[in-house]
Amino acid sequence: QKWRPFCLRFEGVVEDFNYGTLLRLDSRREYSEENTIFATRIQFFAIEIARNREGCNDHVYSSSREPVAQQGKS
């Protein structure tokens, strides 16, 4: 109910804004039954943008860069 006015602002702006998607509750953990909920696409975008701004996803970026950095040393 609280999300509805926010979500409706993106109708016609973001394609498929109200389609469902999976969202991790804890961004440090993998997708699992215990760590996943169903949310609308615009909720997913809003939460992930907030997580990025707060640095919550920095570990994901860092871990994805490690193999590339190690390849350059060879």
Side-chain angles (χ1 to χ4, degrees):
Q1 198 174 26
K2 292 180 182 183
W3 276 97
R4 187 163 178 75
F6 173 82
C7 293
L8 289 177
R9 291 183 5 206
F10 296 94
E11 187 172 11
V13 177
V14 176
E15 186 177 343
D16 302 331
F17 77 102
N18 63 344
Y19 276 33
T21 189
L22 297 176
L23 175 68
R24 291 173 298 146
L25 295 171
D26 182 347
S27 63
R28 296 168 296 189
R29 295 178 36 214
E30 298 291 325
Y31 282 96
S32 67
E33 189 173 339
E34 302 82 30
N35 193 40
T36 306
I37 61 169
F38 189 74
T40 64
R41 181 171 291 177
I42 202 66
Q43 286 173 306
F44 173 85
F45 288 157
I47 291 167
E48 286 300 318
I49 289 168
R51 286 176 175 173
N52 287 335
R53 288 180 177 171
E54 293 176 359
C56 297
N57 289 331
D58 289 351
H59 70 281
V60 174
Y61 178 77
S62 297
S63 67
S64 72
R65 301 289 298 161
E66 287 174 8
V68 174
Q70 289 175 359
Q71 288 175 0
K73 293 179 182 179
S74 301

